Amino acid sequence: RENRYNIEAQTKYLDFLRDLLKDQTYVKLAYMTGILPIKKYGTHSALNIFREFSMTEPKRLAEYIGFTEQEVEDLCVRYDMDFSEAKRWYDGYQFRRISHIYNPKSVVDAMLDGEFHSYWSSTETYEALKVYINMNFDGLKDAIIMMLGGACCKVNIGTFTNDMVNFEKKDDVLTLLIHLGYLAYKEETREVFIPNEEVRSEFIRAVKEGRRPELAKAVKISDDLLNATIKMDEDRVAQIIETMHMAETSPKNYNNEQALRYVII
């Protein structure tokens, strides 16, 4: 990750690992950790001596990625914190073997500080989030808008090359954000979504500070719609929905039920 643009250094490192570990009689067990799976790089992806456990394929290690629901319940009792708020802020990651996994760092910080909010703002991955959602890939804007509204989006994780540089389509960006923890992945349906309020708040902040004015505009309109709904201002709600319906829907699909559903989401 630190030498993300240095292809020569990456190649030498992968060659070093392969020569050091593969088919060597002095190696009984090698254990490596990192955010991303092993880099795919031509013949250098032949480091098939490893069994990989990742955010897209955690297998039997799923429950150790973060705190389980029971562990968070116990912590909330111990630190006198509201479990429902902990769930809203930090739950949402799910895997085939376990459906509720909580962000461990944020849960610890929330318990120690006695406050629920985002604890990711000071991390380097937040700066990366702003960069990646600014990438101009077809469909990326729509996917982010839908997920900010609570929807899921289909994703193909197979094209991702396991680095933070080589992106060819929106699926590559979405897959990276899964590994960084900014998106959750449903393996059964092959969909991504924003897991909780902590991550959603970071997405909104990144959008507002980023270079995609259309995303920032969509977030503002969403806030206006929410405020009008809370105030029970039915005329303003109808006006906002009609404006978005006209802007986001082609004339031939105007009366299509799915088109209106997309506008609402």
PDB file of all heavy atoms in Angstrom, residues 22-37:
ATOM      1  N   LYS A  22       7.543 -20.620  -0.832  1.00  0.00           N
ATOM      2  CA  LYS A  22       6.885 -21.678  -1.608  1.00  0.00           C
ATOM      3  C   LYS A  22       7.787 -22.904  -1.790  1.00  0.00           C
ATOM      4  O   LYS A  22       8.920 -22.808  -2.253  1.00  0.00           O
ATOM      5  CB  LYS A  22       6.458 -21.151  -2.978  1.00  0.00           C
ATOM      6  CG  LYS A  22       5.536 -22.104  -3.717  1.00  0.00           C
ATOM      7  CD  LYS A  22       4.909 -21.456  -4.934  1.00  0.00           C
ATOM      8  CE  LYS A  22       3.902 -22.390  -5.584  1.00  0.00           C
ATOM      9  NZ  LYS A  22       3.234 -21.756  -6.733  1.00  0.00           N
ATOM     10  N   ASP A  23       7.235 -24.049  -1.401  1.00  0.00           N
ATOM     11  CA  ASP A  23       7.912 -25.346  -1.570  1.00  0.00           C
ATOM     12  C   ASP A  23       9.239 -25.435  -0.819  1.00  0.00           C
ATOM     13  O   ASP A  23      10.127 -26.207  -1.192  1.00  0.00           O
ATOM     14  CB  ASP A  23       8.155 -25.645  -3.059  1.00  0.00           C
ATOM     15  CG  ASP A  23       6.863 -25.725  -3.839  1.00  0.00           C
ATOM     16  OD1 ASP A  23       5.862 -26.207  -3.282  1.00  0.00           O
ATOM     17  OD2 ASP A  23       6.849 -25.283  -5.006  1.00  0.00           O
ATOM     18  N   GLN A  24       9.378 -24.657   0.251  1.00  0.00           N
ATOM     19  CA  GLN A  24      10.603 -24.701   1.043  1.00  0.00           C
ATOM     20  C   GLN A  24      10.402 -25.624   2.243  1.00  0.00           C
ATOM     21  O   GLN A  24       9.447 -25.485   2.988  1.00  0.00           O
ATOM     22  CB  GLN A  24      10.983 -23.301   1.529  1.00  0.00           C
ATOM     23  CG  GLN A  24      11.239 -22.304   0.410  1.00  0.00           C
ATOM     24  CD  GLN A  24      12.476 -22.636  -0.407  1.00  0.00           C
ATOM     25  OE1 GLN A  24      13.270 -23.505  -0.044  1.00  0.00           O
ATOM     26  NE2 GLN A  24      12.642 -21.939  -1.529  1.00  0.00           N
ATOM     27  N   THR A  25      11.314 -26.563   2.427  1.00  0.00           N
ATOM     28  CA  THR A  25      11.168 -27.561   3.490  1.00  0.00           C
ATOM     29  C   THR A  25      11.310 -26.948   4.885  1.00  0.00           C
ATOM     30  O   THR A  25      10.844 -27.526   5.860  1.00  0.00           O
ATOM     31  CB  THR A  25      12.222 -28.670   3.333  1.00  0.00           C
ATOM     32  OG1 THR A  25      13.529 -28.074   3.330  1.00  0.00           O
ATOM     33  CG2 THR A  25      12.019 -29.415   2.012  1.00  0.00           C
ATOM     34  N   TYR A  26      11.954 -25.778   4.993  1.00  0.00           N
ATOM     35  CA  TYR A  26      12.142 -25.161   6.316  1.00  0.00           C
ATOM     36  C   TYR A  26      10.914 -24.382   6.777  1.00  0.00           C
ATOM     37  O   TYR A  26      10.893 -23.873   7.893  1.00  0.00           O
ATOM     38  CB  TYR A  26      13.368 -24.250   6.317  1.00  0.00           C
ATOM     39  CG  TYR A  26      13.368 -23.166   5.257  1.00  0.00           C
ATOM     40  CD1 TYR A  26      12.553 -22.036   5.364  1.00  0.00           C
ATOM     41  CD2 TYR A  26      14.203 -23.271   4.149  1.00  0.00           C
ATOM     42  CE1 TYR A  26      12.564 -21.047   4.395  1.00  0.00           C
ATOM     43  CE2 TYR A  26      14.214 -22.291   3.177  1.00  0.00           C
ATOM     44  CZ  TYR A  26      13.398 -21.175   3.296  1.00  0.00           C
ATOM     45  OH  TYR A  26      13.400 -20.201   2.331  1.00  0.00           O
ATOM     46  N   VAL A  27       9.905 -24.272   5.933  1.00  0.00           N
ATOM     47  CA  VAL A  27       8.702 -23.533   6.307  1.00  0.00           C
ATOM     48  C   VAL A  27       7.618 -24.519   6.739  1.00  0.00           C
ATOM     49  O   VAL A  27       7.151 -25.340   5.949  1.00  0.00           O
ATOM     50  CB  VAL A  27       8.179 -22.671   5.142  1.00  0.00           C
ATOM     51  CG1 VAL A  27       6.879 -21.975   5.537  1.00  0.00           C
ATOM     52  CG2 VAL A  27       9.219 -21.644   4.733  1.00  0.00           C
ATOM     53  N   LYS A  28       7.214 -24.417   7.995  1.00  0.00           N
ATOM     54  CA  LYS A  28       6.112 -25.242   8.483  1.00  0.00           C
ATOM     55  C   LYS A  28       4.806 -24.458   8.464  1.00  0.00           C
ATOM     56  O   LYS A  28       3.747 -24.989   8.134  1.00  0.00           O
ATOM     57  CB  LYS A  28       6.399 -25.744   9.904  1.00  0.00           C
ATOM     58  CG  LYS A  28       5.351 -26.734  10.414  1.00  0.00           C
ATOM     59  CD  LYS A  28       5.801 -27.382  11.705  1.00  0.00           C
ATOM     60  CE  LYS A  28       4.804 -28.443  12.157  1.00  0.00           C
ATOM     61  NZ  LYS A  28       5.239 -29.130  13.395  1.00  0.00           N
ATOM     62  N   LEU A  29       4.886 -23.178   8.829  1.00  0.00           N
ATOM     63  CA  LEU A  29       3.690 -22.334   8.827  1.00  0.00           C
ATOM     64  C   LEU A  29       4.096 -20.880   8.634  1.00  0.00           C
ATOM     65  O   LEU A  29       5.030 -20.403   9.283  1.00  0.00           O
ATOM     66  CB  LEU A  29       2.927 -22.474  10.157  1.00  0.00           C
ATOM     67  CG  LEU A  29       1.695 -21.569  10.320  1.00  0.00           C
ATOM     68  CD1 LEU A  29       0.600 -21.951   9.336  1.00  0.00           C
ATOM     69  CD2 LEU A  29       1.173 -21.629  11.750  1.00  0.00           C
ATOM     70  N   ALA A  30       3.414 -20.198   7.745  1.00  0.00           N
ATOM     71  CA  ALA A  30       3.605 -18.753   7.561  1.00  0.00           C
ATOM     72  C   ALA A  30       2.248 -18.081   7.746  1.00  0.00           C
ATOM     73  O   ALA A  30       1.246 -18.516   7.177  1.00  0.00           O
ATOM     74  CB  ALA A  30       4.155 -18.446   6.168  1.00  0.00           C
ATOM     75  N   TYR A  31       2.226 -17.019   8.565  1.00  0.00           N
ATOM     76  CA  TYR A  31       0.981 -16.311   8.848  1.00  0.00           C
ATOM     77  C   TYR A  31       1.198 -14.835   8.540  1.00  0.00           C
ATOM     78  O   TYR A  31       2.105 -14.205   9.092  1.00  0.00           O
ATOM     79  CB  TYR A  31       0.599 -16.500  10.321  1.00  0.00           C
ATOM     80  CG  TYR A  31      -0.622 -15.731  10.759  1.00  0.00           C
ATOM     81  CD1 TYR A  31      -1.900 -16.187  10.443  1.00  0.00           C
ATOM     82  CD2 TYR A  31      -0.501 -14.551  11.491  1.00  0.00           C
ATOM     83  CE1 TYR A  31      -3.024 -15.485  10.844  1.00  0.00           C
ATOM     84  CE2 TYR A  31      -1.618 -13.840  11.902  1.00  0.00           C
ATOM     85  CZ  TYR A  31      -2.882 -14.312  11.573  1.00  0.00           C
ATOM     86  OH  TYR A  31      -3.983 -13.613  11.972  1.00  0.00           O
ATOM     87  N   MET A  32       0.399 -14.288   7.634  1.00  0.00           N
ATOM     88  CA  MET A  32       0.550 -12.896   7.242  1.00  0.00           C
ATOM     89  C   MET A  32      -0.781 -12.173   7.386  1.00  0.00           C
ATOM     90  O   MET A  32      -1.845 -12.763   7.175  1.00  0.00           O
ATOM     91  CB  MET A  32       1.032 -12.793   5.788  1.00  0.00           C
ATOM     92  CG  MET A  32       2.397 -13.402   5.545  1.00  0.00           C
ATOM     93  SD  MET A  32       2.879 -13.353   3.801  1.00  0.00           S
ATOM     94  CE  MET A  32       2.948 -11.578   3.534  1.00  0.00           C
ATOM     95  N   THR A  33      -0.728 -10.872   7.726  1.00  0.00           N
ATOM     96  CA  THR A  33      -1.945 -10.083   7.857  1.00  0.00           C
ATOM     97  C   THR A  33      -1.847  -8.833   7.002  1.00  0.00           C
ATOM     98  O   THR A  33      -0.765  -8.362   6.663  1.00  0.00           O
ATOM     99  CB  THR A  33      -2.187  -9.656   9.318  1.00  0.00           C
ATOM    100  OG1 THR A  33      -1.111  -8.807   9.744  1.00  0.00           O
ATOM    101  CG2 THR A  33      -2.274 -10.868  10.229  1.00  0.00           C
ATOM    102  N   GLY A  34      -2.995  -8.293   6.651  1.00  0.00           N
ATOM    103  CA  GLY A  34      -3.056  -7.069   5.863  1.00  0.00           C
ATOM    104  C   GLY A  34      -4.496  -6.769   5.509  1.00  0.00           C
ATOM    105  O   GLY A  34      -5.380  -7.621   5.671  1.00  0.00           O
ATOM    106  N   ILE A  35      -4.755  -5.557   5.003  1.00  0.00           N
ATOM    107  CA  ILE A  35      -6.122  -5.199   4.632  1.00  0.00           C
ATOM    108  C   ILE A  35      -6.547  -5.889   3.346  1.00  0.00           C
ATOM    109  O   ILE A  35      -7.672  -6.376   3.224  1.00  0.00           O
ATOM    110  CB  ILE A  35      -6.242  -3.666   4.482  1.00  0.00           C
ATOM    111  CG1 ILE A  35      -6.163  -2.988   5.848  1.00  0.00           C
ATOM    112  CG2 ILE A  35      -7.562  -3.284   3.812  1.00  0.00           C
ATOM    113  CD1 ILE A  35      -6.247  -1.481   5.789  1.00  0.00           C
ATOM    114  N   LEU A  36      -5.656  -5.928   2.362  1.00  0.00           N
ATOM    115  CA  LEU A  36      -6.005  -6.479   1.052  1.00  0.00           C
ATOM    116  C   LEU A  36      -5.511  -7.914   0.906  1.00  0.00           C
ATOM    117  O   LEU A  36      -4.499  -8.289   1.500  1.00  0.00           O
ATOM    118  CB  LEU A  36      -5.389  -5.633  -0.055  1.00  0.00           C
ATOM    119  CG  LEU A  36      -5.782  -4.156  -0.109  1.00  0.00           C
ATOM    120  CD1 LEU A  36      -5.088  -3.481  -1.275  1.00  0.00           C
ATOM    121  CD2 LEU A  36      -7.278  -3.999  -0.215  1.00  0.00           C
ATOM    122  N   PRO A  37      -6.206  -8.719   0.084  1.00  0.00           N
ATOM    123  CA  PRO A  37      -5.674 -10.043  -0.266  1.00  0.00           C
ATOM    124  C   PRO A  37      -4.371  -9.879  -1.051  1.00  0.00           C
ATOM    125  O   PRO A  37      -4.003  -8.781  -1.469  1.00  0.00           O
ATOM    126  CB  PRO A  37      -6.775 -10.646  -1.146  1.00  0.00           C
ATOM    127  CG  PRO A  37      -8.011  -9.869  -0.819  1.00  0.00           C
ATOM    128  CD  PRO A  37      -7.537  -8.485  -0.481  1.00  0.00           C
TER     129      PRO A  37
END
